[in-house]
Amino acid sequence: MYLEQLQNTMERTIDTHVDMMLKNKPADRQYLNQDDIRRLGCDVEGIWLKHCGEAPAEIKASVLMANTVMAGDFASKVTLIKHMLSAVGAVGGIAAILAGVGTILGWGAGVMTAITTAICGLSLTGPLAAISLGAVATLIAGYFMFSNMPEEELSRKAIQVLREGIKRVLPDVWQTYESKWNNA
């Protein structure tokens, strides 16, 4: 499999699963809810589990960011972001995912600079790691608060965040996982 084929597989998986979920919903609720987004993320991770035996941290982080968009309260958003930050570990992976998220959510250059600066100075090991993760997670979650945004819009944005996060990390992920990929 080549990177382009993998990108197409990821896109098709998302499209197919979103279509299947929407097909079973009433006409006035044609959007995904928080549980649907979680299932969609599990489906995406499942492809990696099937073919590699594990889901890369960057893919898991993209899934967590999509879940963060749908999380109902600030505390849940902070928790999901902490998990994402600690799962990825590498600043480059986080930066790629957040750049995609920022584009989808319309974060301005000032917001992206503040977040990137905070992350670049972040140590994910040692005694200050929990405090650092908490501070950055709170900063990012603050920008995830979508007051008065309809569920349809949140659903659309969560799907876009998942797509864009995966698209941005796939080139680096594929360099690591290409040799592990089993086409069975």
Side-chain angles (χ1 to χ4, degrees):
M1 177 169 292
Y2 298 104
L3 178 59
E4 186 177 305
Q5 291 172 306
L6 180 58
Q7 179 67 41
N8 291 336
T9 297
M10 295 284 105
E11 288 287 329
R12 270 193 322 275
T13 297
I14 293 170
D15 290 343
T16 300
H17 289 263
V18 167
D19 289 345
M20 285 177 14
M21 287 182 213
L22 292 176
K23 183 174 135 179
N24 296 321
K25 294 190 177 271
D28 63 337
R29 298 193 59 85
Q30 286 293 300
Y31 55 88
L32 303 185
N33 61 33
Q34 193 171 5
D35 289 335
D36 296 329
I37 293 294
R38 278 192 207 111
R39 277 194 307 268
L40 180 59
C42 287
D43 294 339
V44 168
E45 288 181 26
I47 290 172
W48 290 90
L49 292 171
K50 176 183 175 188
H51 293 284
C52 293
E54 65 180 304
E58 296 87 348
I59 298 298
K60 290 180 182 180
S62 297
V63 168
L64 286 168
M65 290 304 285
N67 286 317
T68 302
V69 172
M70 295 300 292
D73 59 74
F74 185 75
S76 297
K77 290 179 188 301
V78 170
T79 299
L80 286 166
I81 293 168
K82 281 183 185 178
H83 289 306
M84 186 275 299
L85 291 172
S86 62
V88 174
V91 172
I94 293 170
I97 292 165
L98 290 177
V101 170
T103 300
I104 298 299
L105 301 178
W107 293 348
V111 173
M112 288 305 299
T113 300
I115 290 172
T116 303
T117 301
I119 289 173
C120 287
L122 180 63
S123 169
L124 296 178
T125 60
L128 296 177
I131 295 168
S132 299
L133 284 173
V136 173
T138 301
L139 174 67
I140 296 168
Y143 291 106
F144 268 121
M145 292 309 297
F146 299 106
S147 58
N148 301 320
M149 189 174 287
E151 288 182 87
E152 298 91 332
E153 183 69 11
L154 283 174
S155 171
R156 187 181 63 74
K157 287 192 181 285
I159 294 165
Q160 287 178 308
V161 163
L162 180 61
R163 282 182 199 281
E164 191 64 24
I166 290 170
K167 178 180 169 185
R168 291 197 182 228
V169 300
L170 268 183
D172 290 335
V173 167
W174 190 240
Q175 286 180 0
T176 302
Y177 284 85
E178 182 178 15
S179 63
K180 298 177 183 181
W181 191 267
N182 176 358
N183 284 320

